[in-house]
Amino acid sequence: MLWSDFEKLGSFLDPLSEFERMNQAISRLSAPVTVEFPAVNVWVSGDHAVVTTEIPGLDPASVDISVVDKTLTLRGARRPEDLKEGEAYHRRERWSGQFTKTVELPFAVESGRVEARLLKGILKVSLPRAETDKPRKIAINTA
Amino acid sequence: MADAKKDIEKKEASNPGQVERTRQRRVYTPDVDIVEKKDEMIVIADMPGVDEKSVDVTVEKNVLTIYGKVDAGIPENHKLLLSEYGMGDFQRSFTLSDEVDKEKIQATVNNGVLRITLPKAELAKTKKIQVKAEGIGGMMNLNN
């Protein structure tokens, strides 16, 4: 806590809100610091991985997905609103521009069987593990 | 991307007035653009995972509230290996001025983007007021 925080004396009257504030400060510290846009979640089950990301406002044609070995690359762009003369932003928080995101997967992927769906602004890429990458059972020969 | 350095972390919504929610889950503040046009205001909110059935737009006592229920959509039997963003609902409220015609508010959702059109009331539409230059007579009066 900073000494300057003592200026906010009002918040000390409510210990619960003070606790909440500290709690938020701590959870901010533990969150990943450098996440490249767009943030992704990677789900894994055995020989299958699912990558999800939130890219609202993009149509499927403007998203480019490529897989090479273990690396998934997502590319896309979103244009800002077209404003005519006399129109102005009161708030402008939404992102616009181009992005490239690479995600390292835990195994090599069968690129021919990758499926992607973009639904309600959430992209979901389904990635099966490559046959050649799967561990092979080695039979032991008895002499 | 131009604003790659920008904070892309989702912001959890604060709970105004310590009112608790009935559903126990995370709620995030959607990123919003607000554009003022000649005859209307447009509110555009990024709410991925929300469609027309799961979004609520309400206006009560000059407060516009948007709430989007998001189905987490966790892939079955999968474990989360890397988590860069959290999943939860979206909520945000704005105070409207009297110049919005509340009866004519319209909202659409497309690809997880909510777009609300708030038409301006007839009275509030910008009227151009002609500024006239005062004649020399006015200037003379000052000297008196």
Side-chain angles (χ1 to χ4, degrees):
Chain A
M1 182 183 297
L2 296 171
W3 283 103
S4 60
D5 281 359
F6 280 101
E7 287 167 16
K8 302 179 203 152
L9 262 179
S11 64
F12 278 89
L13 300 173
D14 186 355
L16 205 71
S17 74
E18 184 60 16
F19 177 76
E20 182 68 15
R21 194 190 64 79
M22 284 161 68
N23 201 11
Q24 278 177 8
I26 290 163
S27 58
R28 220 173 297 140
L29 285 179
S30 59
V33 191
T34 47
V35 173
E36 227 180 301
F37 185 90
V40 297
N41 283 353
V42 181
W43 308 79
V44 176
S45 163
D47 289 332
H48 190 257
V50 175
V51 174
T52 58
T53 186
E54 296 180 330
I55 43 171
L58 266 75
D59 62 284
S62 64
V63 185
D64 184 60
I65 302 164
S66 60
V67 181
V68 179
D69 205 25
K70 278 179 156 187
T71 314
L72 167 74
T73 307
L74 307 171
R75 276 191 200 89
R78 188 166 82 170
R79 291 173 53 80
E81 283 289 304
D82 284 321
L83 292 199
K84 294 183 202 76
E85 216 184 303
E87 300 175 351
Y89 277 108
H90 286 207
R91 274 174 195 268
R92 195 173 184 178
E93 302 165 355
R94 297 167 66 237
W95 63 274
S96 62
Q98 293 188 324
F99 66 82
T100 305
K101 170 97 177 188
T102 44
V103 184
E104 183 90 3
L105 298 161
F107 45 71
V109 168
E110 192 75 59
S111 56
R113 281 167 51 221
V114 173
E115 282 170 31
R117 283 184 63 183
L118 182 56
L119 198 66
K120 296 188 259 182
I122 298 177
L123 178 71
K124 196 169 178 175
V125 190
S126 161
L127 307 136
R129 186 172 185 170
E131 286 301 325
T132 49
D133 191 59
K134 284 185 187 169
R136 217 174 313 150
K137 196 174 164 73
I138 288 136
I140 301 167
N141 296 322
T142 43
Chain B
M1 170 185 161
D3 50 356
K5 293 278 181 289
K6 217 174 113 182
D7 187 11
I8 66 153
E9 206 184 305
K10 284 166 90 175
K11 292 166 267 308
E12 267 200 77
S14 62
N15 215 338
Q18 307 286 319
V19 181
E20 288 189 65
R21 296 185 177 90
T22 51
R23 279 154 56 86
Q24 197 200 354
R25 61 179 313 173
R26 280 167 191 266
V27 177
Y28 293 95
T29 305
D31 285 343
V32 160
D33 281 356
I34 300 182
V35 180
E36 171 155 18
K37 298 194 175 186
K38 206 166 133 258
D39 297 329
E40 58 195 19
M41 301 261 282
I42 314 273
V43 176
I44 310 161
D46 278 348
M47 298 167 95
V50 167
D51 62 13
E52 66 280 359
K53 286 178 225 93
S54 59
V55 70
D56 264 334
V57 179
T58 53
V59 181
E60 202 189 338
K61 287 181 188 160
N62 276 352
V63 177
L64 169 78
T65 302
I66 52 180
Y67 190 92
K69 219 160 83 178
V70 177
D71 176 27
I74 295 164
E76 241 175 88
N77 302 325
H78 282 57
K79 273 194 296 186
L80 194 54
L81 185 76
L82 167 73
S83 173
E84 290 182 347
Y85 69 90
M87 281 164 293
D89 295 346
F90 289 101
Q91 187 187 349
R92 197 154 178 186
S93 299
F94 297 97
T95 311
L96 301 178
S97 64
D98 285 330
E99 64 184 39
V100 170
D101 188 346
K102 294 174 195 71
E103 303 300 314
K104 291 188 189 148
I105 294 173
Q106 286 185 329
T108 54
V109 185
N110 197 2
N111 286 334
V113 178
L114 174 69
R115 196 180 177 96
I116 309 171
T117 309
L118 309 157
K120 287 186 189 172
E122 281 303 317
L123 281 172
K125 281 184 188 167
T126 327
K127 274 178 221 132
K128 197 153 171 90
I129 290 147
Q130 202 68 47
V131 181
K132 288 180 198 130
E134 255 190 277
I136 293 166
M139 296 280 280
M140 300 279 270
N141 285 340
L142 281 173
N143 295 331
N144 290 340

